[in-house]
Amino acid sequence: MRSELKAESVKMKVKYIAIAFGFLLFAFGFQHCSEKKSDSNISSASSVKQQQYYVHGEQLYIKHCSNCHQKNGTGLGLLYPPLAKSDYVDNNFESVICLMRYGIEGELVVNGKSFNKAMPGIPSLSDLEIAEIATYLYNTWEHQRDSIELKDVSRILDNCRQATISK
Ligand code: HEC
């Protein structure tokens, strides 16, 4: 009788250990997955504010830009230049900010291909919305840039306003 009880309690112990071990495995696995998920979209812009910019920026991009440049940023033939992997985007941060509000025209070379069709500006975009779209553009499609600050975007927009007025 005693040995039976003992065997029973050993069985229970093994059961508890197995359950605890299973739980640990689950917890670790879960943590691993969620870590992976959180840094997949946005790696350089990590603060909460930058993440909000990114999320709004994506929505604004789809609404205002994807008609021409396409949802995945590839552009469309020789009509609309690509934004994904565009050397122009990489090298001309200030012009990219300005052209969202004021548009751009004349010949433009992107990744060695020439484009020449006017892009209309979108004057209704606020400074904040432009900063948000820029955060999206510069943190997706392999472009990488440190966090984009609203005050810097406003300063750039003030300068391009002066440039267009003095023309
Ligand atoms: C009506 C179509 C149209 C819309 C909408 C549009 N673009 Fe463009 N975009 C163009 C064209 C056409 C050019 C090439 C201009 C040229 O040849 O001078 C261009 C050029 C550009 C360039 C520089 C070249 C490159 O590909 O790197 C950027 C950056 C850009 N657009 C970003 C945007 C963003 C951001 C938006 C939304 C806020 C937007 N565009 C909305 C048509 C459009």
Side-chain angles (χ1 to χ4, degrees), residues 64-65 68-69 81-83 86 88-89 99 106 108 115-117 119:
H64 294 289
C65 324
C68 298
H69 294 286
L83 304 182
S86 151
Y88 186 93
V89 170
L99 65 79
L108 220 145
F115 295 85
N116 196 347
K117 179 176 158 68
M119 166 177 158

Side-chain angles (χ1 to χ4, degrees), residues 1-11:
M1 184 69 183
R2 266 194 71 183
S3 65
E4 244 174 55
L5 260 181
K6 212 173 170 187
E8 197 58 36
S9 80
V10 167
K11 252 194 218 161

Side-chain angles (χ1 to χ4, degrees), residues 60-61 63-69 73 78-84 86-90 92 95-97 99-101 103-110 114-120 122 125 130 133-134 137-138:
L60 291 164
Y61 175 83
K63 187 170 165 201
H64 294 289
C65 324
S66 67
N67 271 355
C68 298
H69 294 286
L78 288 174
L79 268 186
Y80 303 122
L83 304 182
S86 151
D87 57 355
Y88 186 93
V89 170
D90 279 335
N92 299 278
S95 310
V96 172
I97 297 293
L99 65 79
M100 288 192 224
R101 182 173 290 165
I104 189 165
E105 56 185 27
E107 196 201 11
L108 220 145
V109 178
V110 182
S114 164
F115 295 85
N116 196 347
K117 179 176 158 68
M119 166 177 158
I122 308 171
L125 290 176
I130 291 177
I133 298 172
L137 284 189
Y138 280 96

